[in-house]
Amino acid sequence: MPFDPTSLTYDSRGLIPCIAQEATTGEVLMLAWMNRESVARTLETGLVTYWSRSRGEFWVKGATSGHRQHLVALRIDCDRDCLLALVRQEGPACHTGRRSCFFTELRDGVEIDLPEIQPRHPADILGRGAVITIT
Amino acid sequence: MPFDPTSLTYDSRGLIPCIAQEATTGEVLMLAWMNRESVARTLETGLVTYWSRSRGEFWVKGATSGHRQHLVALRIDCDRDCLLALVRQEGPACHTGRRSCFFTELRDGVEIDLPEIQPRHPADILGRGAVITIT
C-alpha cells in the first residue's frame, strides 16, 4: 500500500524514534527522533532529517558539520512506532567525533570507553596473496 | 567508573529506549523500553528485561514464548538517554514470528514486506571447493 507518514504511531509529543544503522557494516550509529514532517522530508530529500527536541526545529543531520546521513532504506517496525534508517554515513555520526554514539560499554559493572575499531580489509588480517578454500 | 543505573537519563515516565541487536549478525531486532529496575535486572540476570508500557509490568523477553534475549553486551550512548543491547536471540524476536520487528521497508513510496533472508554460508554462494585469493 502507498506509504502515508500519518499512518505511523507517534508519541504524545508527535515524535517517533529512529535508529540509524550504517548500511555497509551494520553498525548502530545513533537514535534520534522524527515527527511526521521530518519523515516526509527524509524520504523526499534522501537526507536523514530528525526533529531536534532541544532546539525545537528540523535537524538535517550534517547540515552544519557535513556529517550527513544518506538514506539507503527506511524500515518500519511491527507496531509502527519505531523506524530503522539504513544510511551511508559521511564522517562520524556522533557529535563527539566518534563513529557511533554507542562507544561506552558496561563490563563487570564498570563503564569502558570502547576503542574505535575500523572495518578491516581481509588482506590486513590474512596478508596479501592469502588463499581461502571454501569447504 | 562503576555503573549506576540511576546515572542514565530517563524520560518523564522514567523510561529509556533500548535497541536490541543480534550480536553475531548485527541485525537490529527491536526497540523496547526499560526503567531503572529493568536495567539492573538485565545486568544481574543476563536476560534482557524490558518494562512493558502496555501491561505496566516487567517483561523478561521470552519468559512466555521462550524467545529469550541473552545479553552479550550493554552499551550507552553519548547522551546517556539510549541503550544498545547486543544479544544472542533465541528464536524470532518479533511477536509475529519474524526474526526482526523491522520487516517492512519503504521502496518508491510503497511498503514492502521484506523476505526473511537467512545468513548464508559462503559455500551456498560460491560453491564448495571455491578458492578466494586475497589481493
Side-chain angles (χ1 to χ4, degrees):
Chain A
M1 56 177 173
F3 175 69
D4 175 2
T6 65
S7 69
L8 299 175
T9 299
Y10 300 88
D11 68 13
S12 58
R13 303 163 300 178
L15 301 176
I16 186 170
C18 180
I19 303 159
Q21 182 181 30
E22 171 61 48
T24 53
T25 63
E27 188 173 26
V28 173
L29 301 172
M30 58 182 283
L31 179 139
W33 296 81
M34 293 186 173
N35 60 15
R36 278 180 226 179
E37 179 64 20
S38 53
V39 173
R41 291 188 186 195
T42 296
L43 292 168
E44 281 165 23
T45 63
L47 289 174
V48 179
T49 303
Y50 301 103
W51 178 258
S52 168
R53 294 173 299 169
S54 57
R55 297 196 303 273
E57 62 183 25
F58 291 104
W59 168 27
V60 181
K61 174 71 180 164
T64 52
S65 67
H67 301 155
R68 295 182 293 185
Q69 291 180 337
H70 300 270
L71 186 68
V72 175
L74 192 63
R75 295 185 183 161
I76 306 166
D77 83 341
C78 55
D79 290 332
R80 301 181 75 81
D81 64 359
C82 185
L83 297 172
L84 175 65
L86 279 76
V87 305
R88 182 169 59 78
Q89 172 73 50
E90 283 191 71
C94 186
H95 73 287
T96 63
R98 301 293 291 259
R99 201 167 62 228
S100 161
C101 295
F102 296 95
F103 55 82
T104 302
E105 183 168 301
L106 295 175
R107 290 196 191 155
D108 300 323
V110 175
E111 296 189 19
I112 303 290
D113 194 7
L114 291 174
E116 191 93 316
I117 300 167
Q118 297 299 328
R120 295 169 75 190
H121 187 278
D124 297 335
I125 303 165
L126 299 170
R128 291 182 196 283
V131 173
I132 299 172
T133 303
I134 308 297
T135 56
Chain B
M1 56 177 172
F3 175 69
D4 175 3
T6 65
S7 70
L8 299 175
T9 300
Y10 299 87
D11 68 13
S12 59
R13 301 164 301 179
L15 300 177
I16 185 169
C18 179
I19 302 160
Q21 182 180 30
E22 172 61 47
T24 52
T25 64
E27 187 172 29
V28 173
L29 301 173
M30 58 182 283
L31 179 140
W33 297 81
M34 290 186 176
N35 60 16
R36 278 179 226 178
E37 178 64 21
S38 52
V39 172
R41 291 188 186 196
T42 296
L43 291 168
E44 282 166 21
T45 63
L47 289 174
V48 179
T49 302
Y50 302 102
W51 177 258
S52 169
R53 295 173 300 168
S54 57
R55 298 195 302 272
E57 62 181 25
F58 291 105
W59 168 27
V60 181
K61 173 71 179 167
T64 52
S65 67
H67 302 153
R68 295 181 293 183
Q69 291 180 338
H70 300 270
L71 187 69
V72 174
L74 192 63
R75 296 184 182 161
I76 305 167
D77 83 341
C78 54
D79 292 332
R80 302 183 74 80
D81 64 359
C82 185
L83 298 172
L84 175 64
L86 279 74
V87 304
R88 182 170 58 78
Q89 171 72 50
E90 283 191 69
C94 185
H95 73 286
T96 64
R98 301 293 289 260
R99 200 169 62 229
S100 161
C101 294
F102 296 95
F103 56 82
T104 302
E105 183 167 301
L106 294 175
R107 289 196 191 157
D108 301 323
V110 175
E111 296 188 19
I112 303 290
D113 193 6
L114 292 173
E116 191 92 317
I117 299 167
Q118 297 299 328
R120 295 168 75 190
H121 186 278
D124 297 335
I125 303 166
L126 299 169
R128 290 184 195 282
V131 174
I132 300 171
T133 303
I134 309 296
T135 55

